[in-house]
Amino acid sequence: MHSLFLNDNWRVNGKVTLNIGVRLHKNDATNGDGTTVGDDLSLSPRLSAVWDPKGDGRWAFSGGFARYTMALASNVAASTAKGGNASTKRWVYTGPATNTDPNAPTGSLVTTEDAIRAVFAWHDSLGGSSRTPQAASLPGVNMRIDQPLSSPYTYEYSGGAARSFGRGTVRADVVYHDFRNFYALRTDL
């Protein structure tokens, strides 16, 4: 992600200060195959104000609005490349249980190696990897991004109040985020 930011503080008078800014974001991404999976240009404005009712620094009330753009999640983009990502197939084991007695002496338990051999012997007896899996992940086939991703972003609204007492200050703020355009990997069965 590349960005350019402009910002300015403007003291309107002895009681009001404004902070105005804008950031230009350029988000682009390609997967391991060189396919474009993200290409976005966005503006993120920021505006905040501080009001000191008497201009003496004892009280300050603030409010603001901002839009924050986040980078594209590279793990989502990379998951679509055919090369470099392993394909996986999953089957549910419904064969005989192993080591089911929690009170059995350790010497009578089936070893890990023998348990794994038994699972694969059961799997192979039903057709092995030629069986239809319960789930599969085939990069570039069932994991695709048909359109380039757009940048995730959030709108932030904030407000607060501060009171100075000699050498100390008490402050309370409220911040609300409205998240937009977020994405994640999902598997449909």
Side-chain angles (χ1 to χ4, degrees), residues 90 93 139 160 162 164 187:
R90 296 180 198 102
Y93 178 72
S164 293
T187 302

Side-chain angles (χ1 to χ4, degrees), residues 2-166:
H2 304 284
S3 61
L4 174 68
F5 183 70
L6 299 171
N7 189 69
D8 192 23
N9 282 321
W10 177 35
R11 190 151 178 96
V12 178
N13 56 42
K15 297 179 181 181
V16 177
T17 302
L18 298 177
N19 185 302
I20 302 168
V22 66
R23 183 180 297 264
L24 175 67
H25 300 275
K26 174 65 175 140
N27 250 338
D28 53 12
T30 56
N31 67 15
D33 296 332
T35 303
T36 298
V37 293
D39 187 12
D40 192 34
L41 186 67
S42 63
L43 283 174
S44 296
R46 291 160 171 78
L47 173 64
S48 64
V50 177
W51 175 52
D52 179 351
K54 294 186 178 181
D56 60 5
R58 294 180 68 196
W59 281 99
F61 299 94
S62 60
F65 166 80
R67 175 183 166 164
Y68 295 99
T69 300
M70 283 61 120
L72 296 171
S74 60
N75 63 330
V76 173
S79 68
T80 64
K82 294 176 202 136
N85 288 312
S87 295
T88 60
K89 295 180 180 179
R90 296 180 198 102
W91 292 272
V92 175
Y93 178 72
T94 58
T98 304
N99 295 333
T100 58
D101 182 2
N103 300 313
T106 304
S108 69
L109 297 175
V110 175
T111 66
T112 301
E113 293 87 9
D114 288 341
I116 291 172
R117 272 192 213 96
V119 167
F120 278 98
W122 169 85
H123 178 66
D124 290 341
S125 74
L126 297 176
S129 60
S130 64
R131 293 174 41 209
T132 301
Q134 272 72 28
S137 170
L138 306 171
V141 177
N142 68 347
M143 298 180 76
R144 294 188 320 264
I145 298 176
D146 293 328
Q147 304 174 41
L149 295 170
S150 296
S151 301
Y153 62 93
T154 183
Y155 290 121
E156 179 185 275
Y157 305 90
S158 62
R163 173 71 164 96
S164 293
F165 299 96

